[in-house]
Amino acid sequence: GESFHLVAKGKVKNSFCTVEAIITVPKFPFSVAAEGQIKSTGGLVVASVRSNVQYDLNYPIHEDDLQPGHLVSNSKAGDSAVVLSGENKIYGDLQSSSGVTIENDTSVLGEIRTDAQKEVLPQTRASDYDPEGKPGMQTVNSGAGKLEIQGYNKSYGDLTVDNGVYLDGGVLYVDGDLTVSAGGVSGRGALVSTGNITIFGDGEAKSDNQAAIVADGNISLQGSSAEKASFAGLIYTRGNLKAEYLRLAGVFVAAGDSSDVEFKDTEVYEDVSKAVIDIDSQVSFEIP
């Protein structure tokens, strides 16, 4: 899919030669993209989902429904640009602007390209989505219980949520750090922070759940070894990205000047349809 298969055949008298090449031209070429280093301590799966496949993120997506998903690092950290230890499986290509370190238990089904040209990653900032002045904007403060978000919402400073965030077609903008200490994120909408975003808990994995998580600082998403957290949408950071015990359908982008990515027991299923969040007639969200 999204590729050209080129075959050239040559003949000189009784000598024959055939040369083949596959040129891939995807819409967004990478499931995981980082300016800095990418590391996994094991359990990483990177793939893309076939179009029109219905899937349930409470469970791993069946292998028959998967296609190549690619991973790229623009880091110049030599063999530490990409470090995959333990058992990992990359269904597509692995690309590094310098070198890679891959243990024997890691499988890369596509090409391994080292010393590659730096890729241009999409650039945006949290302030691009500041809802200040939007009609009906509400102010949000830290508190106990679950936080439900409708329309445009803003926190003027750090925000802590004790029992999960439910996005009911809205955008939560935090001018500071956002911490969801339990309960995860569910619903449809966007979380934006000028600082760090830290989320604990699995949330819900219903088919209509879809969210964007955008931070100028670091993003940390943590499920548990007993039950992986589930998330569908777009994760974009200008800081570092850390994901543990996570099952994601969407796109990971860490686009800061030296953004590093660290995975542990995380499944990444690229689904570009999740990278555009159309919430309702008043609120829409898309990374350029």
Side-chain angles (χ1 to χ4, degrees):
E2 299 181 339
S3 63
F4 299 97
H5 183 194
L6 308 179
V7 181
K9 295 185 176 181
K11 175 184 177 183
V12 178
K13 294 185 178 181
N14 293 325
S15 297
F16 298 87
C17 182
T18 300
V19 178
E20 297 182 75
I22 295 177
I23 301 176
T24 303
V25 191
K27 297 173 185 176
F28 181 78
F30 303 105
S31 303
V32 180
E35 288 289 353
Q37 298 169 280
I38 298 177
K39 296 181 179 180
S40 172
T41 56
L44 174 64
V45 174
V46 177
S48 62
V49 183
R50 295 185 183 278
S51 59
N52 301 319
V53 168
Q54 300 297 317
Y55 53 85
D56 183 347
L57 286 179
N58 289 298
Y59 309 96
I61 299 177
H62 194 279
E63 193 164 23
D64 291 345
D65 295 327
L66 298 180
Q67 297 185 131
H70 311 302
L71 181 151
V72 63
S73 167
N74 285 335
S75 172
K76 292 294 186 180
D79 290 345
S80 298
V82 179
V83 179
L84 303 180
S85 58
E87 186 174 348
N88 306 278
K89 191 169 187 179
I90 313 300
Y91 280 75
D93 301 336
L94 189 159
Q95 179 176 314
S96 167
S97 293
S98 49
V100 299
T101 298
I102 302 174
E103 292 190 355
N104 292 334
D105 289 340
T106 291
S107 300
V108 179
L109 304 187
E111 291 185 311
I112 298 177
R113 295 190 294 272
T114 57
D115 299 314
Q117 182 177 351
K118 182 178 179 179
E119 294 289 340
V120 178
L121 304 186
Q123 297 295 318
T124 191
R125 290 189 177 277
S127 58
D128 296 337
Y129 306 100
D130 190 342
E132 189 72 36
K134 295 283 187 180
M137 191 198 81
Q138 303 178 66
T139 300
V140 179
N141 299 304
S142 298
K146 176 173 285 189
L147 177 63
E148 296 189 8
I149 296 296
Q150 294 179 329
Y152 289 102
N153 299 261
K154 183 172 181 178
S155 172
Y156 294 89
D158 296 348
L159 179 68
T160 299
V161 181
D162 291 339
N163 195 29
V165 175
Y166 175 67
L167 296 167
D168 187 8
V171 174
L172 172 60
Y173 182 91
V174 179
D175 192 3
D177 296 340
L178 170 63
T179 302
V180 181
S181 56
V185 177
S186 59
R188 190 175 183 87
L191 301 177
V192 183
S193 169
T194 61
N196 302 323
I197 294 180
T198 304
I199 298 174
F200 295 91
D202 57 354
E204 300 177 20
K206 296 180 180 178
S207 60
D208 60 346
N209 282 0
Q210 187 173 332
I213 298 179
V214 177
D216 284 345
N218 302 327
I219 294 179
S220 178
L221 306 173
Q222 298 187 40
S224 68
S225 56
E227 183 177 3
K228 286 187 175 180
S230 300
F231 178 84
L234 167 71
I235 296 176
Y236 181 98
T237 176
R238 298 189 64 82
N240 299 327
L241 173 63
K242 183 177 182 180
E244 294 185 355
Y245 306 111
L246 183 73
R247 187 173 290 124
L248 169 84
V251 176
F252 269 137
V253 180
D257 291 339
S258 58
S259 293
D260 296 334
V261 177
E262 184 177 348
F263 293 114
K264 180 177 181 179
D265 286 324
T266 296
E267 301 164 34
V268 181
Y269 302 114
E270 179 187 352
D271 185 345
V272 293
S273 69
K274 305 297 185 185
V276 180
I277 316 296
D278 293 320
I279 302 168
D280 58 32
S281 60
Q282 293 182 330
V283 180
S284 61
F285 194 95
E286 181 177 359
I287 291 293

